[in-house]
Amino acid sequence: MIVSRTADLIVRASGMHRMTDEELGASSAQARRAPIAEAHEPSPEADSLRAAVAVSEGEIIGLGDWTDVEALAGPDTEVVALQGTIVPAFTDAHAHPIMSLSLARGAALKECATLDEVAEALRAEAAERGADEWVLGWGLDPNVFVDGAITNDVLHEALGPDRLAYVTLFDAHSAIASDAALAIAGITGPRAYPGHSFVVADDAGKPTGHLLEMGAMNEVQAHIPEQALEERVAGLRELLSAMAAKGIAEIHVMDMNDPETVALLTAAEEEAPLPVKLRISPWCTPTMDAADCAELVEKQRLHGRRWRVGGVKFFIDGTVEGGTAWLETPDSRGEGTTSAWEGIDAYAARVSQLNSAGVPTATHAIGERGIREVAETLAALPDTGVQHRIEHIESVGRDVIDLLGRAGIAASMQPTHCTHYTRADGSDDWSQRLGEDRARRAWCTRDVLDAGAILALGSDYPVAPFDALKIMADAQLRRPVDDAAAAPILPEQGLTAAEALAGYTRGPWAAIGERGGFLAVGEPAAFTVLDVDPLTVAPEVLGDATVLLTVSDGLVTHSA
Ligand SMILES: [Zn+2]
């Protein structure tokens, strides 16, 4: 090794996984057969701190045994010694940290399993607010509505009909609003909006309080007072720090809807570097024409120090639970037969425009028809070297997954959507809606890798928690890591430890056609140190592991 620079930081640890090709194996099938080569055996002895990474000006300048790296230390080099394993830092391939600032306000309802628990949580939230203030909630699990009819009755029961109240469901694709909230938005009957969005009404034409998809949700949201910018900056910094504490160094942010996004990020960066780097994909919606789409291309130039606009996000459909996923045949309630777009040609025109302009796209596609139509559209694009990806892929046949592999389309999937919101016995809302055959094709991560497709993992926060270690554990176990009694859901679709780790390291980078997610000299210094070896411990141990250190482009963003 040629020693040309002095390190400003050296991290010594007991083990290291670089996630190189050799370590992962040439294919996932090989990776499964061959044990992952280990750079260093972890050992509790202090003198076993043999693995080391040296960093200078945000770049890795030395890597390997301590004996290789030692010479890079100078008098001012900070040397951090940790009993743990160094791995590439995590990228959450799909999350909404900025949207969560306005979405995840008020009562957190994720853990509520019954309507009574929801009412209790809302009453507790209301007690903290003035009588004329809005009562907000988020993360509501549709499984609490026993008969499946989603209405605002629970809001009225908890708070009375005159209270301004608004609660988003867990998937952030629908909400319930109290009658008072509907009145303030001037909603008195059923309404439809572009993108398959509705104010739902009963047979008599009276709104039930259920608002489906963004158009309808925005009608009421527009009346909820926003937080001050300073408050939002503090909220964002706090959230990103909590994410860095889970080993996350980068997030693919799947929306740029907040009109204040640039102001918010600029203000946040004036205080200090962002704890996590953000790559932000604005939406291309069905109402956008070629000129609007050209503006999205222009937007790709926007960036700050640790954030940039990158890629464009589409929705071909909605969600299974909302009855808005685009299915080949209707769900058990006769719903799910339409796309968010007028037709696939309109979508194809916009995607093709971006492909020609060199802009990578990400398309939300959940129902098997939507996934197929999107995969066929992307596969037919002329090869401009642009990497495209599909988000969610909740249930689809093996033939379509094989097409992803053949066409080089990346799959961006969220294992905890499966493990947190569906059940092995099929008694959950998602499985009931889709029926047995489609439920048996739930989140087929194993098939994606076997088809040779790129797999990127993520949280979809605030739809599900952002804890990367627990998500990697769930991806292996196919059940919530914290619920040992839960039966695994299609365990044959589980990932190996190495595949789960690759899904949070190399996968997200590959999914946007960029280099990253491994450790090598000359690469950006983005790594994390875990108190366990993620490739050898049981998933349950990984789920409870501690992140000792996170370094993002040379910046220490978390230190336990
Ligand atoms: Zn999302």
Side-chain angles (χ1 to χ4, degrees):
M1 175 181 304
I2 301 156
V3 180
S4 54
R5 277 202 264 177
T6 305
D8 33 63
L9 170 72
I10 292 181
V11 177
R12 291 184 72 178
S14 34
M16 174 161 42
H17 294 294
R18 303 178 189 185
M19 304 307 282
T20 56
D21 283 337
E22 303 80 68
E23 280 182 308
L24 288 169
S27 72
S28 65
Q30 271 177 315
R32 242 176 316 146
R33 276 196 303 272
I36 299 304
E38 231 183 298
H40 303 274
E41 284 296 329
S43 144
E45 311 301 325
D47 61 7
S48 74
L49 298 174
R50 289 183 294 147
V53 180
V55 177
S56 171
E57 290 166 18
E59 195 182 288
I60 295 176
I61 60 165
L63 181 82
D65 271 327
W66 170 243
T67 47
D68 300 332
V69 169
E70 209 179 354
L72 295 168
D76 298 326
T77 304
E78 185 189 354
V79 179
V80 179
L82 296 165
Q83 282 296 341
T85 303
I86 305 169
V87 295
F90 307 145
T91 296
D92 188 327
H94 185 128
H96 304 273
I98 297 170
M99 190 191 264
S100 82
L101 299 178
S102 37
L103 198 74
R105 285 172 69 189
L109 303 171
K110 273 189 208 303
E111 305 299 325
C112 296
T114 64
L115 283 172
D116 285 345
E117 286 175 29
V118 172
E120 199 185 308
L122 289 171
R123 274 191 289 265
E125 174 65 20
E128 309 256 299
R129 310 262 154 247
D132 54 354
E133 271 187 83
W134 284 77
V135 178
L136 304 174
W138 61 285
L140 180 61
D141 184 342
N143 288 305
V144 300
F145 298 95
V146 244
D147 58 354
I150 299 174
T151 73
N152 59 12
D153 288 348
V154 63
L155 303 179
H156 299 160
E157 199 189 295
L159 311 164
D162 301 330
R163 190 73 194 243
L164 292 171
Y166 182 78
V167 168
T168 47
L169 271 78
F170 84 107
D171 61 9
H173 280 257
S174 76
I176 48 172
S178 63
D179 283 353
L182 295 176
I184 218 172
I187 295 172
T188 53
R191 283 191 198 172
Y193 303 83
H196 207 71
S197 172
F198 302 99
V199 168
V200 182
D202 61 19
D203 293 340
K206 182 187 178 298
T208 61
H210 189 201
L211 307 171
L212 213 49
E213 298 292 340
M214 303 305 156
M217 291 166 74
N218 284 340
E219 290 279 25
V220 174
Q221 268 173 18
H223 296 271
I224 302 171
E226 274 288 349
Q227 288 174 303
L229 187 68
E230 311 83 77
E231 224 178 316
R232 286 155 52 75
V233 165
L236 179 65
R237 295 198 61 87
E238 190 185 331
L239 173 63
L240 296 183
S241 294
M243 289 172 150
K246 293 297 176 191
I248 296 167
E250 178 124 4
I251 300 171
H252 295 170
V253 180
M254 283 295 151
D255 70 276
M256 199 178 171
N257 293 353
D258 194 315
E260 276 192 328
T261 298
V262 174
L264 179 71
L265 292 170
T266 306
E269 286 204 313
E270 269 166 24
E271 278 182 24
L274 295 177
V276 177
K277 290 177 78 183
L278 306 177
R279 174 190 184 268
I280 304 169
S281 302
W283 289 2
C284 182
T285 62
T287 57
M288 287 184 170
D289 61 16
D292 297 325
C293 194
E295 276 179 37
L296 295 176
V297 176
E298 275 303 300
K299 249 190 182 166
Q300 303 291 311
R301 297 191 206 167
L302 287 177
H303 68 90
R305 269 178 295 163
R306 284 174 55 79
W307 66 269
R308 58 173 167 148
V309 171
V312 166
K313 166 92 182 288
F314 288 81
F315 290 82
I316 204 66
D317 60 359
T319 67
V320 170
E321 292 86 345
T324 50
W326 192 14
L327 308 170
E328 300 279 7
T329 54
D331 68 14
S332 62
R333 292 202 212 134
E335 296 180 317
T337 50
T338 52
S339 165
W341 289 70
E342 291 293 334
I344 197 68
D345 293 346
Y347 162 80
R350 296 286 81 82
V351 167
S352 146
Q353 185 182 349
L354 291 164
N355 184 58
S356 307
V359 178
T361 66
T363 302
H364 165 124
I366 280 180
E368 76 276 7
R369 170 92 188 265
I371 301 166
R372 178 175 63 76
E373 297 270 7
V374 169
E376 286 172 356
T377 302
L378 296 175
L381 291 174
D383 186 2
T384 54
V386 177
Q387 178 66 53
H388 299 284
R389 49 190 269 186
I390 304 181
E391 308 303 302
H392 307 307
I393 314 183
E394 291 191 356
S395 169
V396 76
R398 178 65 200 247
D399 55 330
V400 175
I401 290 179
D402 285 339
L403 175 59
L404 301 183
R406 278 201 311 280
I409 301 163
S412 163
M413 298 172 78
Q414 299 75 34
T416 43
H417 284 198
C418 174
T419 59
H420 287 209
Y421 300 113
T422 71
R423 298 180 200 120
D425 66 4
S427 63
D428 57 282
D429 190 37
W430 186 91
S431 305
Q432 293 288 309
R433 280 255 189 190
L434 288 186
E436 219 181 314
D437 287 351
R438 286 185 287 215
R440 253 190 257 116
R441 297 295 306 161
W443 290 269
C444 293
T445 44
R446 165 90 278 130
D447 288 354
V448 165
L449 288 180
D450 286 350
I454 297 164
L455 176 64
L457 300 181
S459 66
D460 206 6
Y461 179 80
V463 176
F466 56 75
D467 188 330
L469 297 174
K470 287 197 194 291
I471 293 169
M472 283 180 238
D474 276 26
Q476 296 174 59
L477 294 168
R478 300 284 296 188
R479 63 161 171 83
V481 61
D482 294 328
D483 185 0
I489 300 149
L490 310 178
E492 65 278 12
Q493 293 293 338
L495 301 180
T496 66
E499 289 163 349
L501 183 58
Y504 253 93
T505 53
R506 300 231 306 197
W509 288 95
I512 56 171
E514 295 183 20
R515 257 172 85 82
F518 56 95
L519 302 177
V521 172
E523 294 294 323
F527 55 89
T528 188
V529 185
L530 308 177
D531 70 339
V532 300
D533 181 337
L535 299 191
T536 56
V537 294
E540 288 85 351
V541 177
L542 179 65
D544 280 332
T546 300
V547 175
L548 301 174
L549 186 80
T550 304
V551 175
S552 172
D553 290 6
L555 202 70
V556 175
T557 53
H558 165 73
S559 173

